[in-house]
Amino acid sequence: MVDEARRHPRGGIYFEDFEPGAVIPHRLTRTVTQMDNMLFSNMTLNPQPLHIDAHFCETQTEFGRPLMNSLFTLGLMIGISVNDTTVGTTIANLGMTDVTFPAPLFEGDTVRCETEVVEKRESRSRPNAGIVTFRHKAYKQDGTLVAQCTRQAFMLKRPTA
């Protein structure tokens, strides 16, 4: 998509180089673990037994085992995209919408992600920046879509000489 020489020194893509319609498959993948689920749920003070209580899940849910915390899944999906897209070039995230989790993610599943560049526009208030809209998707190893969201990011333009 972008010549490596045109990237930020940390690897991110500048505003000018994002092309609407481009789909970026991400190189990083991640197998999620029970420890991920427990740590994230505990760090965020989320006592939901759907994430942290195996006996509850075995006896009282249709899944029979703990679900990965959906906010962990959301964070992982966006995090996986950073190395290939925005590291060093994001000023700030502006928001996330249309977040869905169409299928469950469980301990031992391996997540892969892709990002579509939906649209971009120049900033009205900052001449050195623009807004890029991304559509992130996360799949588990069998190709099942497990998460997706639309995210707007405030992105740096390439520095001028």
Side-chain angles (χ1 to χ4, degrees), residues 1-153:
M1 176 179 168
V2 176
D3 178 1
E4 291 301 312
R6 294 182 53 81
R7 288 179 174 268
H8 183 277
R10 291 184 180 261
I13 299 171
Y14 290 99
F15 171 79
E16 293 90 340
D17 294 323
F18 284 106
E19 293 296 329
V23 176
I24 304 160
H26 300 297
R27 298 171 276 196
L28 295 177
T29 60
R30 175 82 149 58
T31 301
V32 296
T33 67
Q34 178 185 18
M35 182 64 78
D36 295 329
N37 214 18
M38 292 299 290
L39 284 174
F40 188 87
S41 294
N42 284 312
M43 285 190 302
T44 57
L45 301 178
N46 183 343
Q48 177 54 256
L50 280 171
H51 306 309
I52 63 173
D53 187 331
H55 179 70
F56 171 84
C57 291
E58 287 170 11
T59 61
Q60 298 184 45
T61 74
E62 65 187 83
F63 303 110
R65 56 189 169 147
L67 293 168
M68 292 302 292
N69 187 306
S70 58
L71 292 179
F72 170 79
T73 304
L74 176 65
L76 178 62
M77 175 176 62
I78 292 170
I80 284 174
S81 77
V82 169
N83 271 339
D84 297 321
T85 56
T86 63
V87 66
T89 55
T90 301
I91 298 167
N93 279 322
L94 299 178
M96 293 163 213
T97 61
D98 306 314
V99 178
T100 63
F101 304 98
L105 185 65
F106 299 106
E107 166 191 351
D109 284 334
T110 298
V111 176
R112 70 171 178 83
C113 300
E114 66 184 27
T115 296
E116 178 185 357
V117 180
V118 176
E119 64 183 9
K120 69 179 192 178
R121 71 169 178 83
E122 302 217 6
S123 171
R124 293 183 192 106
S125 61
R126 299 204 23 204
N128 69 329
I131 297 168
V132 178
T133 302
F134 299 105
R135 184 78 176 155
H136 300 291
K137 293 183 178 182
Y139 302 89
K140 60 184 177 180
Q141 64 280 353
D142 65 2
T144 302
L145 180 67
V146 295
Q148 59 186 340
C149 80
T150 301
R151 175 174 71 108
Q152 284 194 322

